[in-house]
Amino acid sequence: MILRQILRLSSLFHSAVSIHLRRNIGLSAIVFNKTKELDPVQKLFLDKIREYNTKSKQAGGPVDAGPDFQKDMNESLARLQRAYGEGDLTKFPEFKFE
């Protein structure tokens, strides 16, 4: 009886340790990859994402969106307001639980 419990606990301990080690190895691989130099395609991709991020912060919304985009967005918002009622559809709803 005691031997069974010891074996069961050792298998639980073994699985917990193996999961912990796998997570740590996975995280250390990510950290190691960040310190290495990126290949040119990855670097270009990250540069474009950062550039778009700064442009969108300056513009306060989508970058290089013309009047057609704004027109389509207003039509979609009007259609959604007709279907789901009133309120600001550009913000995430606030839930209050009592």
Side-chain angles (χ1 to χ4, degrees):
M1 183 79 163
I2 295 174
L3 183 60
R4 258 190 230 157
Q5 289 179 348
I6 291 173
L7 290 174
R8 188 180 316 147
L9 287 175
S10 68
S11 67
L12 288 174
F13 180 73
H14 175 36
S15 64
V17 168
S18 66
I19 290 172
H20 186 68
L21 287 175
R22 273 189 268 150
R23 286 182 184 166
N24 283 342
I25 290 171
L27 288 175
S28 63
I30 292 170
V31 170
F32 179 70
N33 282 339
K34 288 188 181 214
T35 59
K36 289 187 347 184
E37 184 62 33
L38 298 174
D39 67 57
V41 175
Q42 287 177 331
K43 187 172 181 343
L44 180 65
F45 181 73
L46 287 176
D47 289 344
K48 288 295 181 181
I49 289 175
R50 289 180 183 129
E51 178 183 342
Y52 183 84
N53 187 22
T54 56
K55 283 183 180 180
S56 67
K57 284 181 182 175
Q58 289 173 351
V63 177
D64 298 333
D68 291 337
F69 173 79
Q70 192 63 35
K71 179 182 157 204
D72 290 341
M73 186 171 164
N74 290 338
E75 288 174 359
S76 297
L77 286 175
R79 185 173 53 247
L80 288 171
Q81 281 182 336
R82 282 193 305 268
Y84 296 109
E86 298 181 15
D88 188 9
L89 297 177
T90 59
K91 293 183 181 178
F92 192 79
E94 294 180 15
F95 300 104
K96 295 180 182 176
F97 300 103
E98 295 180 12

